[in-house]
Amino acid sequence: MQKQLNAVKEFHKTFKIDFSETITADLGTNKHKLRYDLMKEENEEYLDAVEKKDIVEIADALGDMLYTLCGTIIEHGLQYKIEAIFNEIQRSNMSKLDHEGNPIYREDGKVMKGSNYSKPDFSKIL
């Protein structure tokens, strides 16, 4: 993932878009809204593409979602921690099985938390 993050960082440098080398929660109200709106726009493009069953537009939307997410990650200075964060989320997600080792699904197909669930602990990462 560092290759992709570095590519997006190069874009940010070239186009004079902020990024941080240190972790920060506060990008400022306008930047928070912009990052949210950019990600929302890409999600809406994905929904439109899947409704049209257009695999080219689906690929474009997914690529743009990843690119925008990488930009948000580097603006928050999390580029050196995001893989560890992902790994901790993976560990937590895999703990969602019930006491018999079976998945639990909500009516719409979302995986729910079972009795063995353990929430992510980012304290050692951040």
Side-chain angles (χ1 to χ4, degrees), residues 11-79:
F11 176 85
H12 276 234
K13 285 180 180 179
T14 301
F15 289 89
K16 299 175 177 40
I17 300 170
D18 293 335
F19 65 91
S20 180
E21 290 295 333
T22 58
I23 297 172
T24 181
D26 187 7
L27 304 178
T29 303
N30 291 341
K31 184 61 66 109
H32 292 164
K33 180 78 167 94
L34 173 63
R35 297 312 307 180
Y36 171 82
D37 287 343
L38 291 171
M39 290 188 282
K40 180 180 174 186
E41 180 181 327
E42 299 307 336
N43 278 304
E44 289 171 356
E45 287 179 15
Y46 169 77
L47 181 59
D48 183 57
V50 295
E51 288 173 346
K52 293 177 180 173
K53 296 179 177 63
D54 186 336
I55 194 64
V56 171
E57 290 302 316
I58 290 169
D60 180 57
L62 292 172
D64 286 347
M65 290 164 82
L66 180 59
Y67 204 94
T68 303
L69 179 60
C70 286
T72 304
I73 290 166
I74 67 171
E75 287 214 34
H76 282 285
L78 290 167
Q79 59 270 31

Side-chain angles (χ1 to χ4, degrees), residues 71-115:
T72 304
I73 290 166
I74 67 171
E75 287 214 34
H76 282 285
L78 290 167
Q79 59 270 31
Y80 307 115
K81 302 289 186 174
I82 197 65
E83 289 184 50
I85 292 166
F86 180 92
N87 291 339
E88 178 58 13
I89 291 169
Q90 173 69 2
R91 183 210 54 78
S92 173
N93 282 341
M94 295 304 292
S95 76
K96 290 182 178 182
L97 297 170
D98 71 13
H99 65 281
E100 294 177 2
N102 297 310
I104 304 166
Y105 301 103
R106 193 168 66 190
E107 193 172 293
D108 63 1
K110 180 183 180 193
V111 173
M112 301 302 291
K113 299 169 187 156
S115 58

